[in-house]
Amino acid sequence: MWMLCIFGVFLIQVAVCQQPVLVNEPQSVEKSDGEEVVLDCKFDSSAKECVWLKDGEITIIREPYQYVGQPETGDCSIRITHVDLGRDDGSWQCQYPRVGNFPAVISKAARVTVLVAPDDPMIFFDGEVIEKGGTLSVQRIDQNVTIHCLSKNGNPASDLYWMMDGRRVEGENHNESTIGHNNLKVYNSHSQLVVIAISDLRGSQIKCIAEHPTYHGVLHESYANIQIHHNTTQVTATVDGFFITSLDVGENEEVTVYCIADGVPEPSYTWEFQRRGEDTWEVMGNRQNLTFNATPGKLVCKAGNEYNFETVRAPAEITVNTKVSTTPRNNAMPISAVHLFHLVLFTISSRLLFC
């Protein structure tokens, strides 16, 4: 009997000193400022006490924190009656403290995120904000262009991505914490996109799109239209919609010719004419179209913008050939008719003479 009592006491001691088992752990949650949050944490019944850590520091459970269950029975769940960004946003863990030779039992970290809606995204280029729907002007073709997008003052940080002409494009993203409204920590989201300014991008639309829990599935975006400045590379002349390099018309016939050139900004035009047999050139006009009376010679359209107007202007040359009309004038008569007129007149005069 004496041995049985000793063995019974030993069993009781083991039961009391065994390490508690964590049954339920707290889960991460996102809530708006002022909402209620419940963090679940339960040990088995061998646990008689517990503590809560917020960002690694012990937090005393008192208003606005409340125990939901009974810690002495292993239920350490708490309620935050109204979450606050500055006080409650962060990492939370429940812990059964170290007892004797048993190490502490600690839960995984649960993130409490107090939601703050970020500012709408903005597109930046060359250090300047591109207004929504504005123009992103690239100064020359074939250069590498770096475009930035920024969404500020959110918690958590926004997720940013790009769309170009309806196609998703991934940029290089990173987030950084900052001090926002009311001196509270929030996050700025930044995305950087590098594109090559090829001619195919002229007129393309680029969008920066932000996703955030406070948007409830509604995308917030900013967009810009890409304009690539480049020099004039092709100049052609047309008459009646046909491209021409020579013109055969009647002398002094009125002709209208058109000059077509590419280039951004829009090219300026100059028409010059060199009469056949002369060395000098005469300026005929400074518009895209020219109406003139045809004279033999060479007609040239020159077009260019600020990138090459003075140096590499591309010309379109037309050789003007004229022909003399062979159509008789209205008061001219064929020679045979003149002879006939004199013959009739002579006949009439002769008859009057003999009468």
Side-chain angles (χ1 to χ4, degrees), residues 259-328:
C259 194
I260 300 175
D262 62 356
V264 178
E266 182 70 24
S268 299
Y269 297 89
T270 300
W271 287 95
E272 297 180 359
F273 184 72
Q274 183 187 49
R275 296 178 184 274
R276 187 169 295 169
E278 297 184 3
D279 296 329
T280 58
W281 289 84
E282 175 186 357
V283 175
M284 301 288 286
N286 298 103
R287 300 176 60 182
Q288 190 173 10
N289 62 300
L290 173 70
T291 299
F292 70 105
N293 294 323
T295 302
K298 289 183 179 179
L299 184 64
V300 171
C301 171
K302 294 181 178 180
N305 54 24
E306 61 189 77
Y307 294 95
N308 67 340
F309 195 82
E310 296 299 332
T311 55
V312 196
R313 295 194 299 177
E317 183 175 289
I318 307 170
T319 300
V320 181
N321 300 313
T322 59
K323 50 190 176 182
V324 179
S325 174
T326 58
T327 303

Side-chain angles (χ1 to χ4, degrees), residues 22-249:
L22 186 61
V23 178
N24 289 334
E25 295 186 275
Q27 304 296 316
S28 296
V29 64
E30 294 179 341
K31 292 288 184 177
S32 297
D33 193 78
E35 292 187 316
E36 180 182 283
V37 170
V38 174
L39 295 175
D40 192 27
C41 179
K42 294 179 181 178
F43 297 91
D44 64 10
S45 59
S46 64
K48 302 302 180 184
E49 62 177 319
C50 60
V51 295
W52 279 92
L53 306 176
K54 194 262 180 177
D55 294 331
E57 300 291 334
I58 294 177
T59 297
I60 299 175
I61 304 306
R62 62 187 180 191
E63 284 295 332
Y65 311 123
Q66 303 170 352
Y67 278 112
V68 176
Q70 300 296 323
E72 60 271 17
T73 65
D75 188 351
C76 294
S77 303
I78 62 170
R79 175 187 295 111
I80 306 175
T81 57
H82 52 279
V83 292
D84 178 82
L85 174 64
R87 181 189 64 220
D88 304 320
D89 188 86
S91 175
W92 288 77
Q93 294 171 286
C94 65
Q95 174 182 288
Y96 181 82
R98 177 187 178 96
V99 176
N101 294 325
F102 295 106
V105 180
I106 188 167
S107 72
K108 68 179 182 181
R111 174 77 189 179
V112 174
T113 301
V114 182
L115 298 175
V116 177
D119 302 335
D120 282 346
M122 298 179 295
I123 294 177
F124 290 79
F125 180 65
D126 278 353
E128 296 184 357
V129 178
I130 306 298
E131 297 295 335
K132 189 174 183 178
T135 299
L136 192 156
S137 297
V138 181
Q139 293 305 310
R140 67 179 187 274
I141 205 165
D142 295 331
Q143 75 176 98
N144 285 342
V145 177
T146 303
I147 310 169
H148 301 269
C149 183
L150 184 64
S151 178
K152 301 172 64 176
N153 301 318
N155 191 47
S158 299
D159 291 324
L160 300 177
Y161 64 93
W162 298 87
M163 297 287 290
M164 182 174 289
D165 292 335
R167 176 173 52 90
R168 180 162 178 157
V169 182
E170 298 296 338
E172 180 182 334
N173 296 358
H174 69 269
N175 306 317
E176 59 183 17
S177 62
T178 185
I179 302 301
H181 309 304
N182 301 320
N183 292 321
L184 298 176
K185 185 176 76 171
V186 288
Y187 293 89
N188 294 339
S189 301
H190 173 249
S191 183
Q192 175 179 297
L193 181 67
V194 179
V195 297
I196 300 176
I198 60 176
S199 58
D200 291 346
L201 291 182
R202 284 180 289 180
S204 294
Q205 185 179 86
I206 189 165
K207 290 183 179 181
C208 175
I209 299 176
E211 294 179 337
H212 194 268
T214 60
Y215 294 163
H216 305 293
V218 178
L219 301 179
H220 289 221
E221 64 183 34
S222 186
Y223 60 91
N225 300 305
I226 298 178
Q227 181 185 71
I228 302 177
H229 292 203
H230 63 95
N231 59 9
T232 302
T233 57
Q234 183 179 10
V235 183
T236 54
T238 67
V239 173
D240 295 332
F242 295 97
F243 297 108
I244 60 169
T245 56
S246 64
L247 187 62
D248 296 312
V249 293

